[in-house]
Amino acid sequence: MVYRQLANYQTMKLTYEPVIGLEIHGELLTNSKMFCSCSADYASAPEPNVNICPTCTGLPGAMPTVNKKATELAALVGLALNCSINKHNTFARKNYYYPDLPKGYQISQYELPIAEKGWLDVIDSSAPSEAEAQSKRIRVRRVHIEEDTAKLAHEKNYALVDFNRAGVPLLEIVSEPDMRSVEAALDYATKIRAILRYLGVNSGDMEKGVLRFEANISVRPIGSDELRTRTEIKNLNSFRALVRASQYEIERQIKIYEDGSEVMQETLGWDDVRGVTTSQRSKEDAHDYRYFPEPDLPPLQLSDAWIDSIRKQLPELPEAKTARFVKDFELKQSEARFLTSEKSLADYFERVLSISKSPAKTIHSWIAGEFMRYLNDSGLSVDDAALAPETLAKLIDMVTDKTIGASAGKTVLVELFKNGGDPAQIVKEKNLLQMTDVNAIQEIVTKILNDNPKEVDEYNAGKETLFQWFMGQVARATKGKADPNTAKELMTKGLKERKK
Ligand code: ADP
Ligand code: MG
Ligand code: ZN
């Protein structure tokens, strides 16, 4: 992944370490908005300002009501992140003025969020050893419900406002400042996105803005446990932006300390084109928002039975699935992690595995290799893959039982993706059956050895790298169809026999 290249600050990190806390905003996939019955599906609205009513446009006297589904989804996320659910939780007004906020305040949760005090284990790939990289526990401070703002379109000397998004249910997930590297922050953000997708509460389509990150960053000398002044980078809309902005900000702050100055607490934007953070405003504190309890909404009272019923809806999450794949299928951690990164991918793998006679490792390498390469190259997701698990299982088994060679298998896979069909039929049509007949392969090997006495002598005189060349000749003569193990064996024997 491109964002793994964190070379620059690696050199400095011996003396300073970053301290990172993330705030993640994700819209909740509900039919209606958070506090009114307008459609929340602003993406497919035919035109601006059609999914609106007095409540979500902030008309005086309009009364909010709580979206039940949104509270269920919020609790589900809280439970998935190992939080405790506050049976009594409250809404608050966060007051500020901006043209995308018609009421002049946002309804949010402040003193008593729906969920708090959870955690998520992440991998810090910047750690010096694999053992140290494993399982850093990041505390989740809180998960709370709020509402999204309207959308502004800035024209030359005026701006347009579209209230279709105003009041869409929004979840905020706030971590403690527990991350000590950009890599850990990236893994945390990646895992949160995966969990939200597993739960079906958010599509994770970052380019559509349904999931946004804010990075709070400070740096301190290694070994110190002080929390120094932090800056907050707003509205990071991709993993790449999260990584680049954090890296830039870490270096900027280190330079400030190295120059003997102090970091100022402020809110920053990220300029993706110039690759710099820019100052937006000196950071407001909580008291600037004049939070107070929302008088139009009663507290949410959640019963144990209700919480239990939500807990029962929790699916097997990526962490647990990974552990199961490692244990049951004898996959490596990294292999299992890859397969469980998306629920649809994990499901696909398990379907193929249940049908195929090939080992899990083989199926993993087909899916992680050729299968993903094809999807990535054609910009498709697993769900779009027009290749039934049954068909892929059949193909992989043909390679496993040596009906065809691995390279022929790849040819068939591409054909299946492009035009569909049956693997056995394609093998027949394209004449791809593997040569397993020992006599036939022997004939070809003997001919190659007889035709190339000079290379045979050179090999036998010690130039062992020529072996690959000989195998290349076999591949050429058989169009890659010779069983490689048999060919290798016969070639080794033939060369030895000709040793003078
Ligand atoms: P608020 O936004 O209400 O002022 P905090 O300042 O406590 O709340 O925290 C906001 C976010 O900033 C949290 O994700 C927290 O982990 C992170 N954070 C707080 N202090 C620091 C710090 N010194 N360095 C880095 N991140 C911090
Ligand atoms: Mg904040
Ligand atoms: Zn409305």
Side-chain angles (χ1 to χ4, degrees), residues 33 36-38 51-53 55-56:
K33 292 187 180 181
C36 61
S37 54
C38 294
N51 300 339
I52 58 172
C53 73
T55 300
C56 56

Side-chain angles (χ1 to χ4, degrees), residues 118-327:
W119 48 265
L120 182 64
D121 286 339
V122 305
I123 292 176
D124 182 351
S125 58
S126 75
S129 69
E130 204 171 313
E132 287 166 85
Q134 295 298 322
S135 287
K136 302 255 166 163
R137 184 150 292 188
I138 308 303
R139 289 169 299 159
V140 174
R141 180 184 293 174
R142 54 191 274 139
V143 174
H144 70 247
I145 298 168
E146 51 188 41
E147 52 177 338
D148 213 344
T149 56
K151 261 189 172 169
L152 291 178
H154 295 279
E155 302 293 324
K156 211 167 178 182
N157 44 19
Y158 60 94
L160 298 167
V161 63
D162 173 9
F163 289 109
N164 286 341
R165 196 180 69 178
V168 165
L170 199 61
L171 201 66
E172 178 164 353
I173 304 166
V174 183
S175 84
E176 293 294 345
D178 286 352
M179 287 157 268
R180 297 289 173 267
S181 72
V182 176
E183 288 87 344
L186 174 61
D187 196 49
Y188 174 87
T190 305
K191 288 202 163 123
I192 296 271
R193 177 179 180 273
I195 289 172
L196 296 181
R197 281 174 55 81
Y198 263 66
L199 298 175
V201 308
N202 182 288
S203 70
D205 285 337
M206 303 204 55
E207 64 284 5
K208 291 186 184 145
V210 302
L211 188 66
R212 285 113 59 181
F213 306 135
E214 281 158 36
N216 294 271
I217 292 181
S218 61
V219 300
R220 65 186 178 195
I222 280 199
S224 143
D225 53 14
E226 66 188 313
L227 283 178
R228 291 195 170 185
T229 303
R230 71 188 157 97
T231 57
E232 175 176 357
I233 316 167
K234 284 272 182 203
N235 279 323
L236 298 165
N237 286 321
S238 66
F239 289 111
R240 193 177 133 81
L242 169 67
V243 166
R244 290 178 71 216
S246 306
Q247 245 178 287
Y248 176 88
E249 187 55 21
I250 291 164
E251 284 177 37
R252 189 186 73 86
Q253 292 186 16
I254 292 173
K255 280 203 198 92
I256 291 176
Y257 288 124
E258 290 285 276
D259 290 347
S261 298
E262 289 295 316
V263 170
M264 267 186 5
Q265 183 171 339
E266 56 185 344
T267 300
L268 305 169
W270 170 244
D271 183 331
D272 204 47
V273 178
R274 285 163 58 221
V276 297
T277 53
T278 56
S279 181
Q280 289 189 334
R281 50 191 140 95
S282 66
K283 163 74 183 171
E284 65 285 341
D285 280 312
H287 62 252
D288 295 324
Y289 290 118
R290 302 287 189 276
Y291 279 101
F292 65 84
E294 168 59 61
D296 291 342
L297 288 171
L300 278 182
Q301 303 285 0
L302 309 174
S303 70
D304 285 325
W306 184 86
I307 296 170
D308 277 347
S309 75
I310 302 294
R311 200 188 299 277
K312 285 207 183 77
Q313 293 172 33
L314 279 177
E316 182 182 38
L317 290 167
E319 230 24 54
K321 219 185 254 300
T322 301
R324 179 167 65 82
F325 278 20
V326 168
K327 186 167 162 281

